[in-house]
Amino acid sequence: MTPERCPCCDHDLVTTGTAPAWCPACEWNLGAFDARRAPRTWGLRAGDRADHWLAFRLNRRLYDSLAGRDVGGRGNPVARVAMLLLAAPLALFPPLVLVTGVYLTLSGIPFGPVVGPVLLIGLISAAWPHRRDRHWQPWIVDRAAAPALFALLDRVAAAAGAPMPHEVRLDHDINAYVTVRGLRRRRTLSIGLPLWASLEPQERIGLLAHELGHFVNHDPRRGVVVRTAIGVLRNLLDMLASTLRMGIWMLPLVVVVSPVLWLLSTALLILSGRDSQRAEYLADQVATRVAGSAAMEGLFDGLVVAGGLPAAMAAGHHRHADPHAWRAAAGRLRGAATLDAERTLTLRHQAALLDSHPPTGLRRRMVRSWAVHEPRVAPSDQEWTAIDHDLSPWYAKLAARLRG
């Protein structure tokens, strides 16, 4: 039975719902495993508990090593070397298969004309761009359709010392992210309209600066070698899963090969995930200098409550096409008495070895540990009105999409 007072500092314990109680003063028991909230990652609950136990401590260790300091452009060199040693052979696997397939096809050796084309067909099948099925596709917006938004992106990119994205997308997700794809390294920025609308104006600057900061923060998962290796592993796992449809006689191959590929994928994700968390802090530091410290603290509060936005909008019968309605709903969630506890609980609920982001609560604390920054980019009310006007057609599409 959990005591009512902290055994370490004698402070009153707090809890929310059925979550294990913790001490808000010294954070005793904050790292307790919450079986009701923890995802099933490893198949066995013992594995999930071990994952949580280790990730919670690694998250705190990384925070303690960076708090109040300049994050720096590069991560742990030993971890990066290990990542490259693991990723490089995987990244070279497709060209190796290509060369082998062509050689066998043309060499004239026994069975070569049969095995070679099979290898080439398998490579083409794995490498061919597969569209990830999404119920709804994002909308692509250009400078002609949203000049005020792109003018803001120009200012934020310049202040962050980051290049502009080649493509900007809007969608219905409560999220924002960037991707870098292909040999030409095409940069894409995706903005979820519900998240964008729910934030205060200056917090949106922080969101943009953070995402654009990923173009200059040396995130290993966005590097060519690591990203290619992860893609190869995922494609191979997908191919193995699809071979089961060919018949039960393929089961031995799947049983033997799948665990090896899964272990390689997990090891690569864990190694890159630790360094990716450092890269997230660096992007936060870039954003803090552009948007200001207060805006970044508010942004993280917005992320803490973002999961409750759909229910808050439904409860208030708000119009999804009105950006002010999203902000009003988020304001009510932020005003809840449990916000401070929810911030703290992110340290527990967002502790996972495969997670590339530090817990939101730690990111907010990190901003508070740095020197206070005033905003470098602070648009006027008139500029925000022009941006809302640019986005109004997509807010209407968002409302129609969510109704349907």
Side-chain angles (χ1 to χ4, degrees):
M1 182 176 179
T2 304
E4 294 183 357
R5 300 186 69 82
C6 177
C8 294
C9 67
D10 202 38
H11 194 281
D12 289 336
L13 300 181
V14 296
T15 188
T16 58
T18 58
W22 76 94
C23 176
C26 69
E27 296 190 344
W28 171 83
N29 207 43
L30 181 58
F33 182 74
D34 188 351
R36 296 178 181 86
R37 287 287 302 269
R40 292 186 176 273
T41 303
W42 303 101
L44 296 174
R45 259 331 196 190
D48 295 333
R49 286 179 181 274
D51 177 291
H52 179 271
W53 183 90
L54 182 57
F56 182 85
R57 283 152 182 80
L58 289 176
N59 290 345
R60 295 299 294 261
R61 180 180 176 182
L62 180 62
Y63 170 82
D64 291 340
S65 70
L66 296 177
R69 303 180 178 91
D70 185 75
V71 177
R74 298 286 180 179
N76 187 331
V78 176
R80 283 188 168 255
V81 169
M83 265 188 294
L84 289 174
L85 289 176
L86 183 60
L90 293 167
L92 292 173
F93 181 73
L96 179 62
V97 172
L98 175 63
V99 171
T100 303
V102 172
Y103 171 75
L104 291 175
T105 301
L106 302 178
S107 65
I109 63 176
F111 301 106
V114 175
V115 177
V118 170
L119 288 176
L120 294 174
I121 292 172
L123 177 64
I124 294 171
S125 175
W128 194 265
H130 296 286
R131 174 175 290 182
R132 299 292 179 184
D133 290 335
R134 294 185 57 177
H135 183 55
W136 289 317
Q137 295 299 319
W139 303 292
I140 298 175
V141 59
D142 58 23
R143 190 178 293 271
L149 175 64
F150 273 78
L152 176 63
L153 285 171
D154 288 334
R155 292 175 61 188
V156 173
M164 279 285 287
H166 296 104
E167 185 176 86
V168 176
R169 299 179 177 184
L170 306 174
D171 61 29
H172 65 284
D173 291 333
I174 305 176
N175 194 11
Y177 58 93
V178 294
T179 58
V180 181
R181 297 186 181 278
L183 294 176
R184 297 175 62 189
R185 311 293 290 156
R186 285 189 59 82
R187 301 177 297 273
T188 300
L189 168 66
S190 296
I191 303 171
L193 284 175
L195 177 60
W196 175 267
S198 71
L199 298 174
E200 296 297 322
Q202 196 60 29
E203 295 167 7
R204 298 172 185 171
I205 302 297
L207 180 69
L208 293 178
H210 171 87
E211 297 304 335
L212 296 180
H214 278 297
F215 295 145
V216 293
N217 71 345
H218 307 290
D219 188 341
R221 291 192 183 183
R222 290 178 171 81
V224 175
V225 176
V226 175
R227 185 177 180 85
T228 301
I230 292 174
V232 167
L233 285 168
R234 286 176 175 169
N235 285 336
L236 288 174
L237 285 168
D238 288 344
M239 286 183 64
L240 281 174
S242 64
T243 58
L244 284 175
R245 303 192 194 99
M246 299 171 62
I248 195 66
W249 58 277
M250 295 295 295
L251 183 60
L253 174 65
V254 175
V255 170
V256 171
V257 178
S258 288
V260 176
L261 295 178
W262 184 83
L263 286 173
L264 287 172
S265 179
T266 301
L268 189 56
L269 287 172
I270 290 175
L271 282 171
S272 62
R274 293 298 100 191
D275 206 21
S276 288
Q277 290 205 2
R278 180 210 56 81
E280 289 291 335
Y281 281 130
L282 178 55
D284 289 341
Q285 193 165 64
V286 170
T288 301
R289 292 167 179 166
V290 174
S293 301
M296 289 301 292
E297 290 183 41
L299 169 61
F300 292 130
D301 281 347
L303 295 178
V304 168
V305 304
L309 279 173
M313 290 290 288
H317 304 287
H318 291 298
R319 294 178 59 248
H320 293 90
D322 183 3
H324 301 289
W326 288 96
R327 201 187 312 170
R332 286 194 299 276
L333 292 173
R334 295 191 198 200
T338 59
L339 177 59
D340 189 56
E342 290 174 5
R343 287 190 199 120
T344 305
L345 277 177
T346 62
L347 276 67
R348 173 187 290 168
H349 296 154
Q350 298 175 9
L353 290 176
L354 299 183
D355 199 336
S356 63
H357 286 66
T360 307
L362 284 183
R363 295 171 68 186
R364 188 178 188 276
R365 292 182 190 181
M366 187 70 78
V367 171
R368 294 175 66 87
S369 78
W370 294 327
V372 176
H373 289 272
E374 296 300 320
R376 294 182 185 176
V377 178
S380 65
D381 291 342
Q382 291 78 9
E383 289 174 296
W384 284 117
T385 300
I387 292 170
D388 284 343
H389 181 267
D390 280 355
L391 297 179
S392 58
W394 287 278
Y395 280 123
K397 292 180 181 180
L398 172 69
R401 175 173 285 186
L402 295 180
R403 283 197 305 269

